[in-house]
Amino acid sequence: MYVSKHFALCLPILVAFVAAASFYDNPEQDPLPAGGESEDELLKKWGFEWGFSGISTFAHLKHVKCLTTPSVPFDIGIIGAPFDTAVSYRPGARFGPRAIRAASARQTAFRGFNARRGLNPYTSPFTILDCGDIPITPFDNALALIQMTSAFSTLGARTPALSHATNPHPKLLTLGGDHSIALPTLRALNKIYDSPIAVVHFDAHLDTWHPAKYPSAWESPQSDFTHGSMFWIASNEGLILNGSSAHAGLRTRLSGDSFADYDDDERQGFLRISADDIDEMGTAGIVAAILERVGTTVPVYLSLDIDVLDPGLCPGTGTPEPGGWTSREVIKILRGLEPLNVVGADIVEVAPAYDGVGEQTALVAAQVGFEILTSWVGRGMQEMQRVEPEEGVVKGGVKDEL
């Protein structure tokens, strides 16, 4: 084969250049790095996690088994309640905590600044931990109820990491699980705050049904505890602040041939806002109605069933109802409810087996979690006079894009 004299002369130079400047060269490792690096140096080198790397915790938060580690204080705990044996239709929400954590992977401390509120909840003065899951039995609902009540009571009664008069107890964001987990949570909060708790309930369904509305000739006390009767039980136990609670996003069918379900609901003191009301009221009107009903001082439990969203957007749930709200609308309403004194919250009924390949239901649930955490931190910092209220305006005077 013919090779030009010019190319032959240049070839050694070219080879030498590539050998000296190859992009794929290994860095100098001779000698190997000396030991004895400080923890800060190691953290700087190896402590970073991409959205797709690391062990799956909510938003890459530090994982501590809070139930077995009382020596580690926290202000906000993410706790999983993988329980779904009180459902009336499709099971699978026991895998909800795992799916929501996985869907939160793109939430990180290095990119967690919430532009609508002007803060990053993951770098705030408050300690936020992923507390793992409650090991709930799937075989005995009566025992499961005891386990959950005990777990929520234990964690909620601890002293927070940032002790302050306005921050007397840590807050728990519970990842369900079916909606029945709200009953043990309300039992715990009632003891911790020594008062009934107002409930702001996002759902397609009332969940204030008398247990007898599920007809059966086989009666048992345990069968009274379902994901559709837990607020009825809580109300009868005096756990819910009658007259200061609200439903949002309703579009359920009712029992029998009358409005008797509404009569039961009204006796329990709930304001009802239907999914259709958003057409006339808008998100601002719904926020105003809830704030007027509940106020900004009483302790509030915020409970969000993912089926409040339309199943065309969030199919991964156990009792889907067409005609629901969009994720944009729900997020906008949640942002407007920051003035509420929310002392506990849940995101429930995420059943990933029915979700799409893009995990859209779990992604919405994770974003809802981010908004709740942001509001908790924002309100907490405002109360502690660390920041001034911004009244809907963020840094630079840019209004919330929604």
Side-chain angles (χ1 to χ4, degrees), residues 136-174:
I136 307 165
T137 178
F139 306 121
D140 183 336
N141 282 10
L143 176 57
L145 181 55
I146 293 171
Q147 290 176 315
M148 288 187 282
T149 304
S150 177
F152 293 135
S153 299
T154 297
L155 295 178
R158 290 183 182 167
T159 301
L162 189 60
S163 185
H164 191 274
T166 62
N167 188 45
H169 303 289
K171 295 178 173 63
L172 295 176
L173 173 57
T174 306

Side-chain angles (χ1 to χ4, degrees), residues 36-47:
E37 292 178 284
S38 70
E39 289 189 12
D40 288 342
E41 291 172 326
L42 292 171
L43 186 62
K44 185 177 180 180
K45 288 174 65 174
W46 309 115

Side-chain angles (χ1 to χ4, degrees), residues 198-201 206-208 231-232 235 240-247 264-272 293:
V199 174
V200 174
H201 174 221
L206 293 168
D207 292 353
T208 54
F231 288 141
W232 182 89
S235 179
I240 296 178
L241 191 59
N242 194 311
S244 295
S245 297
H247 303 294
D264 284 344
D265 189 67
E266 287 166 5
R267 279 192 289 271
Q268 296 170 54
F270 278 87
L271 168 71
R272 289 189 302 277
R293 178 72 168 194

Side-chain angles (χ1 to χ4, degrees), residues 341-361:
N341 181 24
V342 177
V343 297
D346 68 40
I347 305 166
V348 296
E349 299 286 354
V350 173
Y354 316 110
D355 210 356
V357 294
E359 305 173 289
Q360 58 265 44
T361 309

Side-chain angles (χ1 to χ4, degrees), residues 294-314:
V294 180
T296 59
T297 58
V298 299
V300 175
Y301 184 64
L302 177 62
S303 185
L304 190 139
D305 187 326
I306 205 68
D307 71 25
V308 72
L309 289 108
D310 191 88
L313 300 172
C314 289

